[in-house]
Amino acid sequence: MAKFLLDLADILFPPRCVFCRRFLKSGNERRICSACRDSLPYTNDKKISIRDAEDCVACLFYRDKVRTAIHRFKFKGASGYASSFGHLLAQSIQRNFSGRYDLITWVPVSARRKQTRGYDQAMLLALAAAVELEDVAVETIVKIADVPSQTKLQSHERRRANVLGAFEVRDTELVAGRRILLIDDTVTSGSTLSECVRMLKTAGAQSVCCAVLASAAGRKK
């Protein structure tokens, strides 16, 4: 019965690739079409420098169809993309951080931004990745200041100043002594991730590694 309902759903609402929006081939493709899977701008696990973090790895470069898909995910209500994105991110986490973390968490948006969007995209991404990893993701950080978007600030110094003090750790006992895996959707200058890493380590985290879906470093103009 369950399979019949799933097949019926596929007929009534055919799944599309999250990157190119092409209908997926029934039975042969899941989440992402084969053409996109073969042609996405993978970073090949290139490390990103994040202040105070032990390691940071992005799965994709933030350009072309990746940038468009993440924009839909963050700003156009495409919250369902979290499953496909989480699958890709989980593969990267398995390659780079297996056995190196005790707890999965995410970089949160402010309460105001969450209310406007209807969801926290980094939370959905972390939860989806955790499911793929047969684990759970938990909230450790809250964003207490609704600061201007980092994308509107050009210099690295202004970006760092913009997020300074914008986050706080909700439960220090949960964080203390733990090896943390911190997840976010994108990284540009790294200022936001760095501030969250700083807060987690101030709260007593033993180590913090970061995994992001896409990096703006090396993107095409």
Side-chain angles (χ1 to χ4, degrees), residues 175-191:
V175 168
R178 297 292 192 94
R179 299 173 300 166
I180 309 294
L181 176 64
L182 180 63
I183 287 177
D184 204 0
D185 54 311
T186 57
V187 57
T188 304
S189 70
S191 299

Side-chain angles (χ1 to χ4, degrees), residues 44-84:
N44 297 317
D45 297 332
K46 181 179 179 181
K47 298 294 176 66
I48 301 166
S49 178
I50 298 295
R51 182 190 297 266
D52 296 327
E54 273 59 40
D55 265 324
C56 179
V57 173
C59 183
L60 304 164
F61 284 116
Y62 185 67
R63 64 190 190 213
D64 305 328
K65 63 179 70 175
V66 173
R67 177 169 51 195
T68 302
I70 291 177
H71 189 272
R72 288 196 296 264
F73 176 50
K74 293 177 69 171
F75 306 115
K76 301 296 182 180
S79 58
Y81 283 19
S83 176
S84 299

Side-chain angles (χ1 to χ4, degrees), residues 9-170:
D10 283 347
I11 294 172
L12 296 176
F13 308 102
R16 293 175 181 263
C17 173
V18 297
F19 292 104
C20 69
R21 304 297 295 138
R22 186 179 66 80
F23 288 116
L24 298 178
K25 296 176 183 178
S26 178
N28 296 323
E29 296 176 330
R30 289 190 62 211
R31 302 185 177 98
I32 303 167
C33 74
S34 55
C36 284
R37 189 176 296 278
D38 292 341
S39 64
L40 288 173
Y42 297 104
T43 66
N44 297 317
D45 297 332
K46 181 179 179 181
K47 298 294 176 66
I48 301 166
S49 178
I50 298 295
R51 182 190 297 266
D52 296 327
E54 273 59 40
D55 265 324
C56 179
V57 173
C59 183
L60 304 164
F61 284 116
Y62 185 67
R63 64 190 190 213
D64 305 328
K65 63 179 70 175
V66 173
R67 177 169 51 195
T68 302
I70 291 177
H71 189 272
R72 288 196 296 264
F73 176 50
K74 293 177 69 171
F75 306 115
K76 301 296 182 180
S79 58
Y81 283 19
S83 176
S84 299
F85 291 159
H87 176 71
L88 284 173
L89 189 58
Q91 292 179 320
S92 179
I93 291 169
Q94 286 177 320
R95 289 192 300 269
N96 292 279
F97 301 125
S98 180
R100 296 179 59 189
Y101 61 88
D102 308 309
L103 185 151
I104 301 174
T105 192
W106 60 88
V107 174
V109 298
S110 67
R112 180 179 178 184
R113 193 159 296 179
K114 183 177 179 180
Q115 184 178 31
T116 300
R117 292 181 185 173
Y119 53 91
D120 179 335
Q121 78 282 345
M123 180 188 75
L124 296 182
L125 179 61
L127 292 174
V131 167
E132 293 282 338
L133 296 165
E134 298 183 346
D135 206 330
V136 295
V138 297
E139 182 183 54
T140 61
I141 310 169
V142 292
K143 192 170 187 180
I144 57 176
D146 186 37
V147 299
S149 171
Q150 293 285 79
T151 59
K152 297 178 181 179
L153 305 175
Q154 299 301 314
S155 72
H156 183 67
E157 290 74 19
R158 291 187 65 189
R159 286 171 181 250
R160 285 183 61 191
N162 187 50
V163 294
L164 188 64
F167 300 91
E168 70 176 16
V169 174
R170 164 157 288 185

